[in-house]
């Protein structure tokens, strides 16, 4: 039997080889310091957990929930957007709760994509930004991740040379994986371009609250008229350390939100009602926990940048997100990001995410997540220092004789 259509459209999962090496090392007794997956290790705020406990077992809460989100949750998200961005949203027509921003992207791809439709996606970028549309039958055209002049040059070329014309452009700032940030002026230009060429803007704002300076990342919906062409995705996962709770939102253009809501109505009954009630409490509750989260990640970021630099690996300090996008040390760069990541596990007991997993233009990089405490991050740096000091021996053993020149 031939392979299923959608499975054929997905490349091999590039993180799997690193996961296998990691599992083998752990089975052999190694203490792996895992900086690979952006899986928050901080506790969910106590008041959120208490609200969950309070709601469990109450009448009707064990029944099917609301696919688009219970009314109180959608009102809480509208209040958050008004408070944080000064953006007014109608909870009934411009907000839908999703099972995380990842599921939201996948479902909106199903809602708006016809076979062969072209979508413009940054490269490198979070995998679902591209593969959600590929699974829905669309085609991907890569554009730069950096929010600069080349980004818009690529958009112009794409509109001229893509057949059919693109239906949407994906943006993600603060970026996963690159940690780049965008300002409101950039968003104004994106919205103007989208309106001129009648394409949609799909914005991933999952890291809106994880920033390390006095510049809170803006929402593209702050641009006047952006609602005409934009849907934005946010997540509770990082802001409230609720990754496993699977709760996010899509907000914005009513036509797209209606299409997404209709698709979801066939696919799910929404998150467990107590989860939605607890998420409502998180959005309406005190922000001390958000400030503490932000400070913790900033402290870890500083520890990573400082200790890895002393180890001989210069890592640019990210301004936002929970990731550092690190150029592979020059001597190891010819190996590519997958082999380098495997070697780090085997020789340094440190796990990172290979950059090629986020697109072909990421192969000279690896992504490091600040999901271990400061002590563990500094231990990782010490391990890396020994690894780099042994570079000659390591490279001698892994590079074929014919490739050594």
């Amino acid at each position: 039997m031939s392979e299923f259509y959608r499975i054929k459209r997905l490349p091999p999962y590039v993180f799997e080889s690193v996961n296998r090496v990691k599992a083998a090392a752990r089975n052999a007794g190694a203490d792996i310091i895992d900086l690979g997956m952006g899986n928050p290790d901080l506790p969910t705020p106590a008041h959120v957990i208490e609200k969950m406990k309070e709601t469990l077992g109450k009448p009707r809460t064990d029944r099917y929930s609301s696919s688009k989100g219970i009314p109180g949750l959608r009102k809480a998200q509208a209040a958050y957007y008004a408070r944080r961005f000064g953006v007014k949203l109608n909870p009934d027509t411009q907000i839908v709760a999703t099972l995380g921003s990842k599921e939201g992207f996948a479902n909106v791809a199903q809602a708006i994509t016809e076979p062969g439709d072209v979508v413009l996606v940054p490269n490198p970028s979070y995998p679902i930004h591209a593969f959600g549309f590929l699974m829905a039958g669309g085609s991907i055209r890569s554009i730069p991740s950096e929010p600069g002049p080349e980004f818009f040059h690529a958009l112009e070329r794409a509109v001229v040379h893509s057949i059919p014309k693109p239906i949407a452009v994906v943006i993600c700032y603060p970026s996963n994986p690159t940690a780049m940030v965008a300002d409101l002026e950039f968003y104004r230009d994106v919205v103007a371009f989208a309106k001129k060429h009648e394409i949609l803007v799909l914005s991933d704002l999952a890291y809106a609250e994880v920033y390390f300076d006095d510049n809170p990342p803006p929402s593209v919906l702050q641009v006047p008229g952006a609602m005409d062409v934009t849907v934005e995705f946010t997540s509770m996962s990082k802001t409230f350390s609720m990754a496993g709770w699977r709760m996010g939102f899509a907000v914005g253009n009513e036509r797209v939100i209606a299409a997404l809501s209709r698709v979801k109505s066939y696919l799910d009954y929404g998150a467990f009602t107590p989860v939605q009630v607890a998420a409502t409490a998180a959005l309406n509750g005190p922000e001390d926990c958000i400030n503490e989260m932000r400070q913790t990640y900033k402290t870890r970021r500083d520890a990573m940048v400082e200790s890895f630099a002393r180890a001989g690996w210069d890592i640019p300090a990210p301004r936002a997100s929970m990731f550092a996008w690190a150029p592979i040390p020059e001597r190891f760069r010819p190996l590519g990001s997958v082999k380098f990541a495997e070697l780090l596990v085997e020789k340094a007991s440190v796990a990172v995410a290979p950059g090629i997993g986020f697109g072909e233009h990421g192969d000279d990089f690896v992504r490091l997540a600040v999901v271990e405490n400061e002590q563990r991050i500094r231990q990782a740096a010490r391990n890396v220092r020994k690894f780099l000091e042994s570079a000659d021996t390591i490279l001698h053993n892994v590079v074929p004789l014919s490739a050594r020149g």
Side-chain angles (χ1 to χ4, degrees), residues 42-83:
L42 303 181
T44 304
H47 68 280
V48 179
I49 294 174
E50 287 306 311
K51 179 56 71 172
M52 173 76 155
K53 291 178 181 177
E54 178 188 315
T55 313
L56 284 168
K58 284 194 170 180
R60 303 177 67 87
T61 61
D62 290 332
R63 297 182 177 183
Y64 293 130
S65 192
S66 169
S67 177
K68 68 182 295 185
I70 60 175
L73 178 58
R74 287 182 278 115
K75 288 176 183 176
Q77 177 70 348
Y80 164 73
Y81 258 79
R83 187 170 66 244

Side-chain angles (χ1 to χ4, degrees), residues 28 41 50 61 108 131 142 176 195 209 222 242 293 303 314 321 332 336 362 375 386:
D41 65 316
E50 287 306 311
T61 61
V108 87
F131 295 121
S142 294
N176 178 8
K195 288 193 163 191
E209 301 304 337
Q222 291 174 245
M242 295 171 65
M293 170 276 296
D314 289 326
S321 85
F332 289 91
Q375 179 182 346
K386 295 175 184 176

Side-chain angles (χ1 to χ4, degrees), residues 235-255:
S235 171
M236 308 286 286
S237 296
K238 310 310 188 294
T239 304
F240 296 100
S241 300
M242 295 171 65
W245 298 54
R246 306 314 303 136
M247 181 54 61
F249 299 92
V251 308
N253 180 269
E254 291 188 3
R255 179 168 172 258

Side-chain angles (χ1 to χ4, degrees), residues 181-199:
V181 295
D183 59 22
L184 209 49
E185 195 59 41
F186 170 80
Y187 285 149
R188 286 193 186 96
D189 291 341
V190 171
V191 170
F193 180 90
K195 288 193 163 191
K196 176 182 176 182
H197 295 286
E198 298 182 322
I199 65 176

Side-chain angles (χ1 to χ4, degrees), residues 180-241:
M180 292 174 183
V181 295
D183 59 22
L184 209 49
E185 195 59 41
F186 170 80
Y187 285 149
R188 286 193 186 96
D189 291 341
V190 171
V191 170
F193 180 90
K195 288 193 163 191
K196 176 182 176 182
H197 295 286
E198 298 182 322
I199 65 176
L200 293 170
V201 177
L202 304 174
S203 170
D204 186 342
L205 194 60
Y207 295 90
E209 301 304 337
V210 190
Y211 58 91
F212 308 126
D213 53 25
D214 295 325
N215 248 340
S219 161
V220 64
L221 291 173
Q222 291 174 245
V223 176
M227 204 77 70
D228 298 338
V229 292
T230 302
V231 168
E232 190 158 70
F233 300 84
T234 57
S235 171
M236 308 286 286
S237 296
K238 310 310 188 294
T239 304
F240 296 100
S241 300

